[in-house]
C-alpha cells in the first residue's frame, strides 16, 4: 500500500475541474495486480478485504514463490481457493488466461485492451462480459453495456464475474456517509444566480429559455460526448444496439 493524496477535484494548476469532490476519510492506495503475469505460479487466497478506492472487494494472494499480491475478487472466490494465470491455467473462477485459450460463452472480467498493458475494462463491482466468438486475429466480446467489440486474442482476461454484486443496491442513508466518501453537497443549477449557472436567475422556479446543460454549456440530454477515437474500428455493435461497423 502507498499513501493516497486527495485533489478535491482540482488539476495540477489548482483549477476546479470536477465539482462535488473533497474532504472524505483518509485512504491508502492498494496496489492491484491487473497484469496477472505470474504464469504457472499457483496462488492461494489468504483474505478477502475491503478497498476504499473501488466498488469491488479485493483478494490477497499468497503465491507459491513467496510473493503476495492483490487481485480483484471474482464472485465465488473464497479464502483457501487456489488461482493461477497463464495459457495453461484451467478455466476456473479467478484464473487469468489469454482470450485465445478461453472457450466461447465464458463470462469474463479484467480485460486488457492491448496485450501486456494490464486489465482496463470490466473491473467494477458486479461487472461481467461474455466471450462471443473468435475470428482471425480477434475475439469478440459483449461488454456490460451491450456493446460488442473486438480484442486481440493475446489479451488477458480473468474468468468469472466481479464480486460484491449488491453494491448497486446500497443506500448511503445520510449526508454524513456521503461526506466520508468524499462526496460534497450538490446544489441545483436552478437555485443559483444567473452568473453562476446557465439555469440560474429568473423569478421563481425557472430555467428561462435554456436547454438542460452543464455550468460550462455542454448539453446534458441527448448530446453525444463519445468521440471517434483509435478504438472505434474495433466496435462491431454500439451500445445503442446499432451496427456501426463490420468485422474485417
Amino acid at each position: 500500500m502507498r499513501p493516497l493524496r486527495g485533489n478535491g477535484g482540482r488539476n495540477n494548476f489548482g483549477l476546479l475541474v470536477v465539482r462535488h469532490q473533497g474532504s472524505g476519510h483518509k485512504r491508502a492506495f492498494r496496489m492491484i495486480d491487473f497484469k496477472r503475469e505470474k504464469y504457472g505460479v499457483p496462488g492461494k487466497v489468504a483474505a478477502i478485504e475491503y478497498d476504499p478506492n473501488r466498488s469491488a472487494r479485493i483478494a490477497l494472494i499468497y503465491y507459491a514463490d513467496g510473493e503476495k499480491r492483490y487481485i480483484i475478487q471474482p464472485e465465488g472466490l473464497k479464502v483457501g481457493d487456489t488461482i493461477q494465470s497463464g495459457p495453461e491455467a484451467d478455466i476456473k473462477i479467478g484464473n487469468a488466461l489469454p482470450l485465445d485459450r478461453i472457450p466461447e460463452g465464458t463470462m469474463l472480467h479484467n480485460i486488457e485492451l492491448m496485450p501486456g498493458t494490464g486489465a482496463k475494462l470490466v473491473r467494477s463491482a458486479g461487472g461481467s462480459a461474455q466471450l462471443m466468438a473468435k475470428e482471425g486475429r480477434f475475439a469478440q466480446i459483449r461488454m456490460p453495456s451491450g456493446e460488442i467489440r473486438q480484442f486481440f486474442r493475446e489479451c488477458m482476461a480473468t474468468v468469472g464475474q466481479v464480486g460484491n454484486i449488491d453494491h448497486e443496491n446500497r443506500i448511503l442513508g445520510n449526508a454524513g456517509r456521503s461526506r466520508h466518501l468524499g462526496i460534497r453537497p450538490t446544489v441545483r443549477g436552478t437555485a443559483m444566480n444567473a452568473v453562476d449557472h446557465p439555469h440560474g436567475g429568473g423569478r421563481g422556479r425557472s430555467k428561462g429559455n435554456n436547454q438542460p446543460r452543464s455550468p460550462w454549456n455542454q448539453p446534458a440530454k441527448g448530446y453525444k460526448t463519445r468521440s471517434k477515437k483509435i478504438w472505434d474500428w474495433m466496435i462491431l455493435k454500439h451500445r445503442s444496439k446499432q451496427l456501426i461497423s463490420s468485422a474485417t
Side-chain angles (χ1 to χ4, degrees), residues 24-44:
H25 200 285
K26 187 176 182 179
R27 302 175 179 179
F29 185 75
R30 282 79 168 162
M31 303 295 292
I32 309 297
D33 179 19
F34 287 117
K35 290 192 174 183
R36 299 293 299 272
E37 62 212 349
K38 296 184 71 66
Y39 292 174
V41 182
K44 189 174 182 180

Side-chain angles (χ1 to χ4, degrees), residues 111-141:
I111 306 171
E112 289 183 329
L113 270 175
M114 292 292 288
T117 59
K120 299 291 192 297
L121 304 177
V122 195
R123 307 190 326 192
S124 60
S128 67
Q130 186 175 19
L131 180 60
M132 304 297 291
K134 301 174 190 176
E135 184 177 348
R137 297 177 57 202
F138 300 100
Q140 298 176 14
I141 296 180

Side-chain angles (χ1 to χ4, degrees), residues 93-106:
I93 290 177
N95 285 359
L97 302 89
L99 294 174
D100 192 39
R101 297 298 186 98
I102 301 177
E104 297 173 5
T106 305

Side-chain angles (χ1 to χ4, degrees), residues 107-177:
M107 304 305 291
L108 308 170
H109 66 282
N110 270 7
I111 306 171
E112 289 183 329
L113 270 175
M114 292 292 288
T117 59
K120 299 291 192 297
L121 304 177
V122 195
R123 307 190 326 192
S124 60
S128 67
Q130 186 175 19
L131 180 60
M132 304 297 291
K134 301 174 190 176
E135 184 177 348
R137 297 177 57 202
F138 300 100
Q140 298 176 14
I141 296 180
R142 182 171 62 200
M143 307 302 291
S145 63
E147 177 179 287
I148 297 178
R149 63 181 298 145
Q150 298 183 121
F151 293 83
F152 291 105
R153 296 173 72 144
E154 298 81 17
C155 290
M156 296 286 287
T158 306
V159 178
Q161 179 182 11
V162 183
N164 196 24
I165 297 176
D166 289 334
H167 174 78
E168 64 177 352
N169 300 321
R170 69 172 186 166
I171 298 175
L172 296 182
N174 56 41
R177 189 171 174 195

Side-chain angles (χ1 to χ4, degrees), residues 46-106:
I48 306 296
E49 301 182 11
Y50 169 77
D51 188 349
N53 305 298
R54 63 192 72 251
S55 57
R57 300 288 182 257
I58 57 176
L60 178 61
I61 308 298
Y62 285 9
Y63 285 98
D65 60 1
E67 190 173 358
K68 302 175 185 179
R69 294 189 183 184
Y70 281 118
I71 66 167
I72 299 292
Q73 183 226 353
E75 182 69 16
L77 190 70
K78 304 180 296 297
V79 174
D81 290 349
T82 301
I83 64 166
Q84 197 169 351
S85 61
E88 305 303 324
D90 296 330
I91 307 301
K92 192 177 75 170
I93 290 177
N95 285 359
L97 302 89
L99 294 174
D100 192 39
R101 297 298 186 98
I102 301 177
E104 297 173 5
T106 305

